[in-house]
Amino acid sequence: MTPVLPFTIHGTTVHGKRLGSELGFPTANLAYPPAEELPPDGVYVAEALLEGKRYVAILNQGRHPTAPGGQATIESHLVGYESGDFYGRELTLTYLHYLRPEIRFPSLSALKDQLAEDERAALKWVKANRPELADADDGLAGRA
Ligand SMILES: Cc1cc2nc3c(=O)[nH]c(=O)nc-3n(C[C@H](O)[C@H](O)[C@H](O)COP(=O)(O)O)c2cc1C
C-alpha cells in the first residue's frame, strides 16, 4: 500500500551529478532504492533534519526526465543551507505536502525557474500549515 503523508525516510547522502549546484539549487541525494515503500513520484514540500538542524526542503522523487540517465533518485534542496557538499551525511526527510508531478522541461533554465517557483510555493505552504517550522531559527525557513 502506498504510504500516506507525512512520510519520513532516513538515510545517508550520496553523490549526485552536481547539476543542482550548477542551477543554484544544490541537492542532497539519498541512496536509492531505499528499503521501504515510497509515496508516489513527484515534487513535495518536506522537512529536513541535518545534523540537528531543521530546514524547509523541496524534494523531488523520481527519474528527473530533463537530465535523464540513470536511476530514480530522492533529491532535496534545503532552503537556507549553504555550506557545501552533502556527501556522507545522515539526513532525515519528512514528506509533508505534494506540490506537482515531475515533468520534462524544454531547457535547464526552465527547470531552474520552476525550482524557484517550487521554493516559493513550499515556503508559502509551510507558513500557512506548519508555522512553527517556518519560524524555526535553526534553518532560514522563514525568509519567504
Ligand atoms: C524540488 C525539485 C524539483 C525538481 N523537479 C524536476 C522535474 O520536474 N523534472 C526534472 O527533470 N528534474 C527535476 N528536478 C531536478 C532533478 O531532480 C535533479 O536535481 C537534477 O537532475 C540534478 O541532479 P544531481 O543532483 O544529480 O546533479 C527537481 C529537483 C528538485 C530539487
Side-chain angles (χ1 to χ4, degrees), residues 10-92:
H10 176 82
T12 305
T13 58
V14 296
H15 282 300
K17 299 186 300 294
R18 297 201 54 80
L19 178 62
S21 296
E22 277 170 43
L23 293 176
F25 289 86
T27 55
N29 299 349
L30 282 187
Y32 201 97
E36 48 211 301
E37 206 169 339
L38 295 170
D41 283 355
V43 178
Y44 292 83
V45 182
E47 176 179 340
L49 185 65
L50 179 76
E51 292 161 354
K53 291 189 177 179
R54 289 187 305 149
Y55 298 87
V56 174
I58 43 176
L59 180 155
N60 183 37
Q61 176 194 300
R63 300 198 155 267
H64 42 85
T66 307
Q71 57 190 46
T73 54
I74 299 172
E75 304 200 49
S76 56
H77 171 71
L78 278 48
V79 179
Y81 181 84
E82 270 145 24
S83 34
D85 199 7
F86 282 110
Y87 181 68
R89 311 285 191 82
E90 296 285 304
L91 178 68
T92 302

Side-chain angles (χ1 to χ4, degrees), residues 118-131:
D118 291 341
E119 186 174 300
R120 274 194 294 277
L123 290 171
K124 192 173 164 194
W125 186 90
V126 165
K127 267 200 165 152
N129 296 279
R130 291 285 309 273

Side-chain angles (χ1 to χ4, degrees), residues 6 23 28 52 95 115 135 144:
L23 293 176
Y95 298 45
L115 292 176
D135 292 339

